[in-house]
Amino acid sequence: MLPTSSGHGLSSQQHPPAPLPEPATAAARHQAEPSPSQVEDGSLAYDIFRHTPIPTLVLDSSLVICQVSDSYVAVSGACSREEIVGCHADDIFDQRVTFPTRDSARKAIQTARESKKPYVFEDLLADGTIAWSIRTIPISRHGNLRYFVMEVELEKQVSTNEIFRILVETVKDYAIFMLDPHGNIATWNKGAEVFKGYKREEILGKNFSNFYSQEDRDNDKPGRELAIALRDGRVEDEGWRYRKDGSKFWANVVITPVYRGDTLIGFSKVTRDLTERRAAESRLIAAYEEASKLKSEFLANMSHEIRTPMHGVLAALTLLLDTNLDTEQLELARVIEESGAVLLQVINDILDYSKLASGCFSISDDILSVSDIIQSVFRSFQKGSEPEPILERHLDPSLPKAAGGDSLRYRQIVQNLMSNAIKFTEKGYVRVNATLQEENEETYTILTEVVDTGIGVPATTSKSLFTPFTQFDNSATKRYKGTGLGLSISRSLAELMGGSIGFRPNPEGKGSVFWFTAKLKKVNQLKHLDAIQDNFKALAAEAPMSLFEEMKLVAINKRILLAEDNPINQKVCVKMLAGLGFDNIDLAADGSEAVQMSTKDSPPYDVILMDINMPVLDGVAATKEIRHAGVQTPIVAMTANALKGQAELYISRGMNDYISKPVDRKLLVTALLKCLKRDTPA
Amino acid sequence: MAVPGASDSIDEATFDQILEMDEDQKEREFSKSIVYDFFTQAESTFGKMNANLEQKDFKMLSELGHFLKGSSATLGLTKVKDSCEKIQHFGNRKDEAGNKTISDDEALSKLRTTIEQAKQEFYDVEKVLKRFYHDEP
């Protein structure tokens, strides 16, 4: 700033009082102080102060305005120079000009006077519309303070704000707007308009919850988000938001509380449209799932390819074992047999698992009896089992006698859990509990538990028990065989049956409890019985129900023994019987086995299918022994010696019926129905 | 469903009954496993027949004939089944219908030719079946 060359003795108050002097009247000032005309037009000072582009005021030491620039007049809101020049500062600040404010002017002048140095202060109008900074320069001559020059730098801050405002308002890729402390919308930008479809004037003052779904509003999600933002200083959310036209978009939202000083003035809300990204993500996920499905299908196909020759190997081995082998050969053959059986189990597990994983596994809908399945699994484990663990079972008497479900898969789970329990239990017991957990109009929920006193499961591994290919015993010296797929298959099967599966430690201390639930459909038993009865009555006349449907109903809970030496015929026959609804089929490989199995205390079978030509003891001799033991179970002879008149022969030897081989399904059904009908209390 | 190329070697009704047991009519897992089990069984039985032919064990040959007759009948492999029935009879030193008694020498020579015939019939039907299960061109 140039030093002023004004030589006029302006001040009558060389020693200013601490507070600003009381403003004198304009008239009094005119007499005591120089008039503005004393600054001559054309002088250097005049030119500088009048025409500087920086809005400038020159005050004398008594704070009377003695010069003012045109630029100041233009921005300060004053009407003209003449209105200001010659007036006391107190008369114009806050009244005729908008800035500086009177309080800050006083402070600035006082500070500059005391420090004798230029002093800069920044200020802002109360309504926030204009901000500026003012430099107050004290000018002294010979130690006497003569003038104050005030230079105004206007709207420095405001112009920055303006840039931000324009920036925010024109951004189209983000919706950026302010909410007041109650969540009502206070500002609106272009991006918000594009995203949400509302015009500024439509939405201002409305609550931001308008963008949320009805469900979110019902849960007060918007309110909770504001509360979290206040607590944490920020909240971020991804979810569906709704446009004015009701369509939705996937949004990422960040809400930040905004304070001025310590006062909350509202929230800033920035919304991004992630619909595109989300679509890309779901495409990625779909691609991944497709790849995973292909992998499972490949596994399923491979396992199938491996299994077929494996069956060949095992079948050949079975035949080999029947030949005269010496001790060493027999031992080696047994090793092959055992390893082969394990390998087949592994292959079957992988096949099941990959079928489950590729989603091409379906649950059939037969009629089953939970107690019968458990009893039958039980029997298979009791055979040749060691004295320990003791096998126990507790069947809830309220279990349904017949319900709709997949008996094979139900059996598979029970079998898996039981074989695990027995595998890991050397002492104590393995107990199966089956209870009716829930019953509604359409379904039964059956809870089946397998409790053992075995080695138990450490807490660390209990979480991964049902994960495929994980085994609890992963040590190099594995004591227990298996694929690690059993439980994972069981889990999938239980889920397919509408249930779940789980583990907890045995509450009695040692061991584990594995449980699963399954939903079984209700069948109207009375209705079925009626149907059976009607059917029997109408058997001669064309039955409304097909023979096979009738067979399936009669087969419920029926136990059948098949005595047949040829493994191929066994397999075919078992499959045929299973297809007819029998889920309780036992096998005898020769006549003496058949006698042993069928002559226990209470006759264990409802019907026996007996091949005639068998090694050790043939069918006719076996029948004789069975009848001799007082067992009257119906016996149906099966033979390829299909000669006329033999039916009578076999019946005279104590058999009840006769069918020729190869077994025709229809004839088998007719024969079985004849035998079982007698036992059915009709 | 007729097996292509089977002509009179497979009884359609019987084999259909087996095919019906397949859960998946494309994969044919069950019937395939049965048929392949039978291949193994037949191979092994023919091997035993040869050994017993050397030893002239008529009783064993009759039993083996009966054994393979059972499973081939189940699958409806008519030709193999018929030959096995003959083997069963010849092993009992009866004629091919099982009526008249024949001499040991006659029985032995008939056994030899019939076993060879049965084998050939088995290999023929094996080919047909393998093609049916897409395992051979």
Side-chain angles (χ1 to χ4, degrees):
Chain A
M1 172 66 58
L2 290 168
T4 175
S5 61
S6 166
H8 304 288
L10 285 176
S11 182
S12 56
Q13 292 171 308
Q14 301 283 340
H15 308 284
L20 284 181
E22 282 303 305
T25 63
R29 249 193 341 263
H30 268 283
Q31 288 168 348
E33 289 157 14
S35 76
S37 58
Q38 283 174 296
V39 181
E40 290 160 42
D41 288 2
S43 77
L44 178 65
Y46 178 85
D47 273 351
I48 288 171
F49 289 120
R50 176 86 191 258
H51 300 297
T52 172
I54 299 166
T56 306
L57 289 161
V58 181
L59 291 77
D60 66 15
S61 59
S62 63
L63 304 185
V64 172
I65 311 295
C66 52
Q67 191 52 275
V68 69
S69 72
D70 290 347
S71 48
Y72 179 82
V73 175
V75 299
S76 67
C79 299
S80 62
R81 289 182 74 233
E82 289 68 30
E83 195 188 6
I84 304 172
V85 175
C87 295
H88 192 270
D90 285 349
D91 287 339
I92 62 160
F93 294 151
D94 282 357
Q95 292 171 35
R96 270 176 260 179
V97 295
T98 42
F99 52 86
T101 55
R102 193 158 124 176
D103 290 346
S104 40
R106 280 190 190 200
K107 188 175 170 228
I109 289 166
Q110 193 162 341
T111 310
R113 189 200 300 276
E114 283 167 9
S115 67
K116 298 189 167 61
K117 280 181 190 151
Y119 172 74
V120 180
F121 72 95
E122 288 175 356
D123 204 355
L124 178 78
L125 276 192
D127 62 4
T129 51
I130 305 176
W132 62 89
S133 78
I134 292 182
R135 180 152 73 151
T136 307
I137 306 153
I139 294 169
S140 309
R141 193 167 64 184
H142 308 313
N144 291 329
L145 191 77
R146 302 290 300 269
Y147 302 103
F148 295 100
V149 178
M150 294 179 113
E151 293 175 330
V152 180
E153 198 172 339
L154 196 63
E155 290 185 41
K156 183 174 152 202
Q157 205 176 336
V158 172
S159 60
T160 324
N161 278 347
E162 180 68 5
I163 286 164
F164 280 126
R165 190 183 61 77
I166 292 165
L167 178 72
V168 167
E169 280 188 355
T170 49
V171 163
K172 280 188 189 145
D173 299 317
Y174 294 85
I176 304 172
F177 51 95
M178 284 288 298
L179 307 176
D180 72 9
H182 307 290
N184 296 323
I185 292 149
T187 73
W188 199 238
N189 80 337
K190 202 79 194 156
E193 200 177 306
V194 172
F195 282 12
K196 321 238 182 194
Y198 293 96
K199 294 255 175 253
R200 172 192 296 270
E201 53 278 11
E202 288 173 318
I203 196 69
L204 285 188
K206 302 232 171 77
N207 197 275
F208 80 113
S209 62
N210 278 309
F211 309 134
Y212 288 72
S213 70
Q214 187 60 48
E215 193 192 340
D216 283 347
R217 284 202 293 263
D218 291 345
N219 295 333
D220 192 31
K221 185 171 171 181
R224 274 184 290 123
E225 284 187 343
L226 293 189
I228 294 168
L230 281 177
R231 191 188 64 206
D232 299 345
R234 171 177 200 278
V235 68
E236 184 164 1
D237 179 46
E238 262 189 34
W240 292 112
R241 295 292 184 274
Y242 291 79
R243 301 195 180 91
K244 186 188 171 190
D245 62 9
S247 60
K248 60 183 180 178
F249 64 101
W250 187 259
N252 169 284
V253 178
V254 179
I255 300 176
T256 318
V258 177
Y259 297 92
R260 181 173 288 158
D262 289 331
T263 322
L264 176 76
I265 59 169
F267 298 89
S268 74
K269 189 163 184 281
V270 180
T271 304
R272 286 185 291 159
D273 184 349
L274 297 184
T275 315
E276 266 304 305
R277 199 189 78 188
R278 190 177 151 83
E281 274 170 3
S282 50
R283 278 196 296 275
L284 265 181
I285 291 167
Y288 168 78
E289 279 172 353
E290 177 67 20
S292 158
K293 198 174 152 237
L294 282 176
K295 187 194 72 189
S296 300
E297 275 171 10
F298 171 75
L299 257 180
N301 290 334
M302 279 311 293
S303 315
H304 179 70
E305 292 305 319
I306 299 168
R307 190 156 67 156
T308 312
M310 194 63 207
H311 275 298
V313 171
L314 290 180
L317 192 67
T318 314
L319 295 168
L320 179 67
L321 280 166
D322 288 340
T323 59
N324 293 325
L325 301 174
D326 65 31
T327 330
E328 199 185 345
Q329 288 169 333
L330 192 67
E331 201 178 309
L332 292 174
R334 294 268 179 233
V335 172
I336 302 176
E337 189 188 28
E338 199 183 315
S339 317
V342 172
L343 181 54
L344 189 64
Q345 183 60 48
V346 170
I347 296 167
N348 285 340
D349 276 2
I350 293 178
L351 185 59
D352 268 359
Y353 172 73
S354 47
K355 270 189 177 172
L356 285 165
S358 61
C360 53
F361 196 102
S362 56
I363 283 287
S364 72
D365 199 7
D366 336 319
I367 306 263
L368 64 82
S369 154
V370 172
S371 359
D372 280 8
I373 291 175
I374 289 172
Q375 274 167 12
S376 139
V377 174
F378 228 77
R379 269 201 299 277
S380 70
F381 283 111
Q382 264 172 337
K383 277 179 205 159
S385 84
E386 326 254 318
E388 295 225 43
I390 299 159
L391 303 182
E392 298 172 20
R393 59 173 188 250
H394 295 288
L395 302 177
D396 185 348
S398 57
L399 284 174
K401 291 273 175 290
D406 189 327
S407 57
L408 271 178
R409 297 310 174 182
Y410 194 94
R411 191 190 163 100
Q412 193 177 350
I413 306 179
V414 177
Q415 207 149 18
N416 177 267
L417 297 184
M418 259 194 93
S419 77
N420 275 349
I422 292 172
K423 190 156 69 172
F424 294 108
T425 307
E426 275 169 17
K427 284 201 167 148
Y429 61 84
V430 171
R431 185 188 299 145
V432 182
N433 301 323
T435 44
L436 178 61
Q437 194 183 40
E438 214 185 297
E439 182 178 353
N440 62 28
E441 285 189 0
E442 278 168 7
T443 57
Y444 303 103
T445 306
I446 312 282
L447 170 70
T448 314
E449 287 178 321
V450 177
V451 187
D452 68 56
T453 53
I455 57 175
V457 178
T460 45
T461 42
S462 63
K463 270 185 196 153
S464 58
L465 271 174
F466 299 97
T467 315
F469 301 109
T470 52
Q471 275 186 301
F472 145 66
D473 176 18
N474 260 336
S475 53
T477 54
K478 258 170 73 166
R479 283 178 61 197
Y480 306 104
K481 292 176 196 130
T483 41
L485 283 175
L487 283 176
S488 132
I489 292 170
S490 297
R491 182 181 67 178
S492 303
L493 291 176
E495 283 167 2
L496 277 175
M497 292 195 268
S500 51
I501 195 164
F503 158 82
R504 62 173 185 274
N506 188 343
E508 286 173 31
K510 214 166 167 285
S512 336
V513 180
F514 281 90
W515 58 265
F516 75 95
T517 56
K519 279 203 168 65
L520 301 180
K521 278 189 210 128
K522 277 196 169 176
V523 287
N524 191 334
Q525 277 182 289
L526 275 180
K527 205 169 124 197
H528 281 198
L529 278 180
D530 288 349
I532 295 168
Q533 285 182 11
D534 290 351
N535 212 32
F536 284 142
K537 282 176 203 155
L539 200 58
E542 289 277 313
M545 205 193 291
S546 83
L547 269 183
F548 297 112
E549 280 168 344
E550 188 189 339
M551 185 72 245
K552 280 192 179 171
L553 289 172
V554 175
I556 300 167
N557 296 349
K558 292 295 190 305
R559 298 149 304 168
I560 190 164
L561 175 68
L562 173 66
E564 162 65 69
D565 62 327
N566 191 315
I568 289 180
N569 292 352
Q570 275 184 1
K571 222 168 148 183
V572 171
C573 220
V574 165
K575 183 81 176 179
M576 199 182 276
L577 290 170
L580 294 176
F582 289 92
D583 54 14
N584 235 321
I585 308 160
D586 283 359
L587 282 170
D590 59 52
S592 75
E593 255 190 72
V595 174
Q596 246 176 42
M597 291 170 74
S598 56
T599 52
K600 298 207 173 123
D601 284 345
S602 58
Y605 300 107
D606 295 297
V607 66
I608 300 170
L609 288 176
M610 183 81 79
D611 187 20
I612 295 298
N613 288 64
M614 283 187 291
V616 189
L617 195 65
D618 70 23
V620 176
T623 305
K624 206 173 146 193
E625 282 202 31
I626 292 170
R627 294 295 181 240
H628 194 71
V631 173
Q632 293 308 320
T633 309
I635 298 177
V636 177
M638 298 189 299
T639 182
N641 296 334
L643 293 177
K644 279 190 179 162
Q646 282 201 311
E648 287 75 11
L649 175 73
Y650 294 132
I651 288 167
S652 73
R653 301 275 169 88
M655 294 179 171
N656 301 68
D657 210 335
Y658 152 89
I659 50 173
S660 65
K661 276 178 159 183
V663 175
D664 179 87
R665 209 154 74 115
K666 246 187 224 155
L667 294 177
L668 175 67
V669 167
T670 317
L672 284 172
L673 277 176
K674 238 200 279 177
C675 291
L676 292 170
K677 199 173 78 174
R678 275 197 296 223
D679 278 5
T680 310
Chain B
M1 176 200 267
V3 177
S7 64
D8 54 347
S9 61
I10 300 177
D11 177 58
E12 208 180 304
T14 312
F15 192 67
D16 269 355
Q17 201 169 261
I18 306 284
L19 291 182
E20 269 163 33
M21 295 181 196
D22 282 328
E23 270 138 27
D24 186 333
Q25 297 296 319
K26 254 187 164 171
E27 260 185 45
R28 298 220 167 279
E29 192 182 311
F30 175 76
S31 68
K32 192 176 177 182
S33 79
I34 288 289
V35 165
Y36 278 65
D37 282 357
F38 174 77
F39 292 167
T40 321
Q41 191 184 71
E43 287 284 5
S44 130
T45 312
F46 286 131
K48 285 184 199 168
M49 282 179 175
N50 278 344
N52 283 291
L53 205 57
E54 295 296 321
Q55 317 225 329
K56 298 181 186 169
D57 189 340
F58 289 98
K59 187 174 175 279
M60 198 59 200
L61 283 164
S62 174
E63 274 177 25
L64 288 167
H66 173 79
F67 182 75
L68 199 59
K69 181 181 79 172
S71 39
S72 52
T74 297
L75 293 182
L77 310 181
T78 349
K79 281 189 173 174
V80 178
K81 186 206 116 192
D82 289 343
S83 295
C84 284
E85 194 169 351
K86 284 177 197 165
I87 295 168
Q88 190 188 352
H89 291 320
F90 295 144
N92 284 333
R93 294 182 204 92
K94 301 265 181 180
D95 68 9
E96 62 176 34
N99 296 328
K100 279 183 255 167
T101 311
I102 54 170
S103 71
D104 279 13
D105 283 347
E106 199 190 342
L108 208 58
S109 90
K110 287 199 163 169
L111 277 167
R112 196 163 279 133
T113 47
T114 316
I115 289 171
E116 275 319 301
Q117 192 193 332
K119 266 192 213 167
Q120 195 49 52
E121 284 158 347
F122 164 67
Y123 289 131
D124 289 343
V125 80
E126 183 184 36
K127 243 181 243 162
V128 169
L129 285 169
K130 279 191 172 172
R131 210 176 305 135
F132 178 69
Y133 286 112
H134 309 298
D135 275 357
E136 225 158 65

